[in-house]
Amino acid sequence: MGELTGVGRHTFHIRPDGNHCVLRELERRKINDDEAQEQVIVVGSLQALNLGADRPMAAIPVSAHHHFTALNVYATIQHISLAFAQDFAFKKDVAAEAPFRLIHPTPAPEGLRQDGRPPSFIALSYCWHNPQWAPDAHPVDTLPAGAVNFSWPISKWMVQSLLLERTSPSEGIWIDQCCINQDDPLEKARTIGFMNLIYEQARLVVVVLEDIMIDAAAGALLESLMQKCSSQGSTDSSVLLESSSVHHVVRLALKIFSARWFTRAWCNHELLVSRNHVFLMGVSTPSEDSPRILRMTLLFISSLILVCSNYDYTGAKDLYHSELMEQYQKLRQRGFLHIILNPFGLGAGYNLIDENSADSTVQYMKSPVETLRNLSKFGATVAADKVAIALNIVGCGLYYSGPDRSEHDCGLLLSVIALAAGDPTVLCCTGAGYNLPGSQNTTSWIQQPGQLDFAGVAGRKGTHRRLDYVPAFTLNQVELDFIYLVSNTDATLRTASQPYITQAQWFIDGCIETSKTDAMFRLGASFIQARRTKILVVACALECGSRWINEAARAKTSADYPDSDLEEAIRVFFAGYEEGYSFPALVEQHRDCYEQLTDFLETLTLDYVSPIDDTLDWSTAWLPIGATYMDKILFMCPPPQAQPFYAAIPTLLLHKDYTDCKRLFLLSTVNAAASDTWRVLGKSLVFGGDLDVLLTLESSRVWKGQKIRT
């Protein structure tokens, strides 16, 4: 596989040290000869995978304040719900008992290596066949001891192409249908808990796309374009984009991405946890006796995605482009671009229980809640599989052995595990509360992920740090320390004044009109629908000052805007407003400034200052929290005159690494007699200065041991 040497906003650059897109011709005679030699052999136990893993299953303490071990996480689950706890078990307790099988040629090679680790093997990633596919029956007359008869779950042509990926005649192959005893529920549950290690340790993962096929001309086009890239010294997706055949490339790419494999949760899991991949797809030929297979690396697949992302679908107002646009929008709705780019480190997280970090007091993690949210876009025959997948992706030492559950119950279950493991995002979710088990009317304080809760963390590493400690919680309440900021009656709570609202309205309406005529600055329908909110957000930001905007944006989004100067862009653009220039003239004259402003606006209104629930008529407010020009924050809240509320932030969320997790809680009292018990009206993302300054406020603002109830 080529080495990723750089990822830009629009292109991939890959060293041409391999064939990234190749048409492979197969021979029918050789297929049958090779297949007859393959048998399933037990080569050891799943314990061998633990020996070869990047991280062991048995967790050790990883925090100076709390031991986030699998044992402690399990103990917390037991405290919350014995019914939940009985559905989990420790991987380390069953690893030595569960068999690890591989498909090997006859005679079978030796099993484990001298160090106890598994031999080299290839893992297959595919969709279980449907009635339209013809899986290959594979009877074997004579089986050696330990071998298991099996049938290939993919077509003969794909089997042959799979066998050609071996680097030696004795290399093993792992296929779930063949290497797991499908009649043994206990073995299936245990092996599912080790799927991350199986795909992580495979030398190669071969992805088979059997439900789509392209014609020979299309395959030749892709192969020739890749050869052209390689002849120029590097493979660059811009070469595909600049090709005269780019519209054909886009149509072919969208057809490839329509394969069922790209929609399945298990396939997504296998992609995320593995390292080296090739994709196989059929190419139609006049004769069935001479089939062809198109072999593509993941880097080539990713180049196709970026071509689709950068293609101008509005370049021609015809049915052809409209059809492509519709297909691409479906691709984007599944979050597919982020999922495929994840293995390159553009969104890959750290494991939940990380035993190998050099610094045990600074531990980052992949959020289990975010992981399950991403999995909601993918299909699974068994909903509870998504819990198993999420535990595998984040690297937990537990595996799920319980019954199938609804996606709703799976979400609550995983949220309990996540908070027990110190995941801060459980406290940050802004969606509806989960229903308590067995109840349709009573909700937990634990909320589901909201639409925008993880908008700011996609593609970033290190944004999820473990909590210093796990707060006391049950399904009915959580106990937190807060720093009180403001109530709806305090004079320090500010809303935008009319002069700034007028400027903001001019800018937002200008953006909407520009979007209608300038494809570079096209805005979605959601932007236009949220016009009022965006006007108020921009008005409050302008009132806080251009210098504040510039510094706050640098602090929050330095990875995205390292060289931007928003202060200058604001000065130039709004000076034109004061001087009476038309909006289109300003855009034409200062396109760079306008691009900086619209990029910032999108980040500001989507990632940091967005209402929790778009059905609530919330407003934008700002608040000074210190003595310097930077000590101001923006947030959403109910209109101050509408209902009493108290704005406070949990001290657990004030860590500097929680850029995307900080939430302001808008609270109301449960009753006058319970001064330490609250219900949450909503939570707001916060944009602005460094909230660490809140830790210096007087002790009277610190509310200890406050109870948040349903």
Side-chain angles (χ1 to χ4, degrees), residues 104-124:
H104 275 296
T106 305
E110 296 296 326
L112 302 180
R113 298 176 350 196
Q114 288 186 350
D115 59 7
R117 299 185 180 190
S120 176
F121 67 96
I122 297 169
L124 181 69

Side-chain angles (χ1 to χ4, degrees), residues 484 486-490 493 618 621 635-648 664-669 678 681 703:
Y484 164 72
V486 71
S487 75
N488 64 304
T489 59
D490 288 350
L493 181 66
W618 281 30
F635 56 92
M636 303 295 294
C637 63
Q641 67 277 11
Q643 64 184 119
F645 65 81
Y646 297 83
L664 196 65
F665 282 49
L666 285 305
L667 306 171
S668 69
T669 56
W678 308 84
L681 295 174
W703 293 352

Side-chain angles (χ1 to χ4, degrees), residues 469 477-482 651 675-678 702-708:
Y469 64 91
Q477 76 172 32
V478 62
E479 189 172 312
L480 298 168
D481 294 342
F482 284 91
T651 56
S675 59
D676 64 345
T677 305
W678 308 84
V702 179
W703 293 352
K704 293 279 190 180
Q706 304 300 297
K707 300 177 181 63
I708 302 298

Side-chain angles (χ1 to χ4, degrees), residues 62-65 68 350-352 357 359-368 418-419 421-428 457 461-469 652-661:
V62 294
S63 168
H65 303 287
F68 293 111
Y350 295 83
N351 52 301
L352 178 64
S357 173
D359 185 350
S360 64
T361 65
V362 183
Q363 290 291 325
Y364 293 91
M365 65 188 295
K366 181 72 172 178
S367 164
L419 186 54
D423 177 10
T425 57
V426 179
L427 301 177
C428 304
V457 300
K461 271 191 174 182
T463 52
H464 296 290
R465 180 189 168 102
R466 287 187 179 84
L467 296 169
D468 288 335
Y469 64 91
L652 276 174
L653 299 182
L654 284 176
H655 195 282
K656 62 182 178 62
D657 288 331
Y658 289 167
T659 299
D660 299 296
C661 296

Side-chain angles (χ1 to χ4, degrees), residues 91-106:
K91 290 185 180 182
K92 64 182 180 62
D93 291 344
V94 301
E97 303 171 11
F100 179 55
R101 303 183 182 93
L102 291 174
I103 299 171
H104 275 296
T106 305

Side-chain angles (χ1 to χ4, degrees), residues 40 103 124 126-129 133 135 148-154 174-182:
V40 178
I103 299 171
L124 181 69
Y126 67 109
C127 291
W128 285 40
H129 71 268
W133 300 351
V148 179
N149 198 1
F150 72 97
S151 296
W152 292 102
I154 55 177
W174 191 88
I175 303 176
D176 55 359
Q177 281 193 58
C178 308
C179 299
I180 303 173
N181 185 349
Q182 300 298 321

Side-chain angles (χ1 to χ4, degrees), residues 292-366:
R292 289 184 176 183
I293 299 293
L294 187 67
R295 180 189 188 274
M296 301 167 287
T297 65
L298 181 60
L299 288 174
F300 183 74
I301 289 284
S302 301
S303 291
L304 292 180
I305 292 175
L306 293 181
V307 169
C308 292
S309 302
N310 290 284
Y311 181 67
D312 183 10
Y313 295 92
T314 62
K317 307 294 184 181
D318 56 21
L319 183 62
Y320 177 83
H321 282 75
S322 298
E323 179 186 342
L324 290 182
M325 171 72 87
E326 183 179 353
Q327 293 178 31
Y328 176 64
Q329 291 301 334
K330 291 179 180 178
L331 182 72
R332 289 194 61 187
Q333 289 167 7
R334 292 206 305 265
F336 182 75
L337 176 62
H338 168 59
I339 295 300
I340 287 290
L341 296 184
N342 198 296
F344 298 129
L346 306 178
Y350 295 83
N351 52 301
L352 178 64
I353 299 176
D354 186 353
E355 295 78 25
N356 294 332
S357 173
D359 185 350
S360 64
T361 65
V362 183
Q363 290 291 325
Y364 293 91
M365 65 188 295
K366 181 72 172 178

